[in-house]
Amino acid sequence: MTLIALGLPLGAIATPYNNAATELAMAQLEIERASSQTPPVSEKLEVLRQAKNYAKSTACITTFERDSEDNRTDVTDVHLVESQSSFDSNNIFGTRYIVYWRGDNACAGGSGTYMGFITSFERDREKGEFVARERDIVDTIDSGNNNYDINSRFMEAVSYNDGILSVISSDYGNDGSNSPRYKYLYTVVYKDFGWQLVGREMIADLYEEYR
């Protein structure tokens, strides 16, 4: 890649390529170019704040709390799903995010009410602020012809990349036990503004681990 292509002034061509200042300038330009293709981190932090407020208003003992026994929800649990370019096409801003967190649903205090949530947030077109749209997208996932779905009660990890949502959660076996038997990796795709469950892979037999 040439210096001209990177947008450096022509006078910089006289500077040797291995010059430390030139390499630093090139690195900074690459960082700026990459950052212009994704929304700023401050936007994720804004969504995280909205998610925390939403969780506090709908649940108790959430993973947003400092003394959470589970891993605390942070900016790494905020995932960009949809984005748009600004009018001048120089910047990208997010329009839809999902946030993974856990808490006691409706502060019910039951043995089965502490669970995971993947809440979606969309940018309000008029106010520009992010608002909660779906309390838990798991409830909206199309299972298709599969005879299984995701048990939110035992959800423990979520990742999202390029339209593919990966969820690790456990589920019961056929032995009538109240404890989960198998741990699975579920694959969900985001297509045509909806979520579809396309696969499940068993990654652990929990009973075998306890033996």
Side-chain angles (χ1 to χ4, degrees):
M1 182 177 292
T2 66
L3 298 179
I4 296 177
L6 284 169
L8 292 176
L10 292 175
I13 299 177
T15 305
Y17 176 76
N18 60 0
N19 181 281
T22 301
E23 291 183 344
L24 177 60
M26 292 176 67
Q28 290 175 336
L29 282 168
E30 287 296 330
I31 292 173
E32 292 174 0
R33 176 170 295 179
S35 63
S36 68
Q37 302 303 312
T38 58
V41 176
S42 59
E43 188 173 276
K44 277 194 170 185
L45 291 174
E46 177 188 349
V47 175
L48 182 65
R49 285 191 294 269
Q50 294 292 348
K52 180 179 180 179
N53 293 335
Y54 178 80
K56 290 175 62 177
S57 67
T58 60
C60 294
I61 320 176
T62 74
T63 47
F64 289 98
E65 299 176 9
R66 293 183 180 275
D67 58 351
S68 171
E69 295 183 0
D70 283 336
N71 293 330
R72 288 188 63 193
T73 299
D74 58 24
V75 71
T76 63
D77 297 300
V78 180
H79 305 284
L80 175 67
V81 177
E82 294 178 5
S83 61
Q84 291 182 358
S85 300
S86 58
F87 290 115
D88 56 13
S89 299
N90 291 330
N91 296 292
I92 300 292
F93 63 92
T95 57
R96 181 181 174 89
Y97 283 87
I98 54 175
V99 182
Y100 167 63
W101 59 282
R102 291 180 62 80
D104 178 21
N105 187 22
C107 300
S111 60
T113 58
Y114 186 79
M115 60 185 64
F117 299 89
I118 307 175
T119 304
S120 69
F121 292 82
E122 293 184 5
R123 185 187 295 274
D124 186 288
R125 293 182 178 275
E126 295 182 358
K127 298 181 180 180
E129 300 175 349
F130 285 95
V131 296
R133 291 301 186 195
E134 295 169 315
R135 176 175 173 78
D136 187 7
I137 67 167
V138 171
D139 295 334
T140 69
I141 291 176
D142 180 8
S143 298
N145 296 323
N146 300 313
N147 60 353
Y148 56 82
D149 51 20
I150 300 174
N151 191 327
S152 295
R153 180 181 175 186
F154 305 114
M155 193 157 47
E156 58 184 82
V158 171
S159 64
Y160 181 81
N161 183 44
D162 196 23
I164 299 177
L165 177 69
S166 301
V167 178
I168 293 179
S169 184
S170 301
D171 207 354
Y172 302 105
N174 297 320
D175 52 8
S177 172
N178 290 326
S179 299
R181 172 69 187 269
Y182 303 109
K183 181 180 291 188
Y184 296 101
L185 170 63
Y186 296 88
T187 301
V188 183
V189 297
Y190 185 67
K191 184 178 181 180
D192 298 328
F193 306 102
W195 301 95
Q196 184 173 2
L197 182 60
V198 296
R200 180 182 71 170
E201 176 185 355
M202 190 183 79
I203 56 179
D205 183 335
L206 302 179
Y207 286 11
E208 290 294 333
E209 292 183 358
Y210 296 144
R211 290 180 180 177

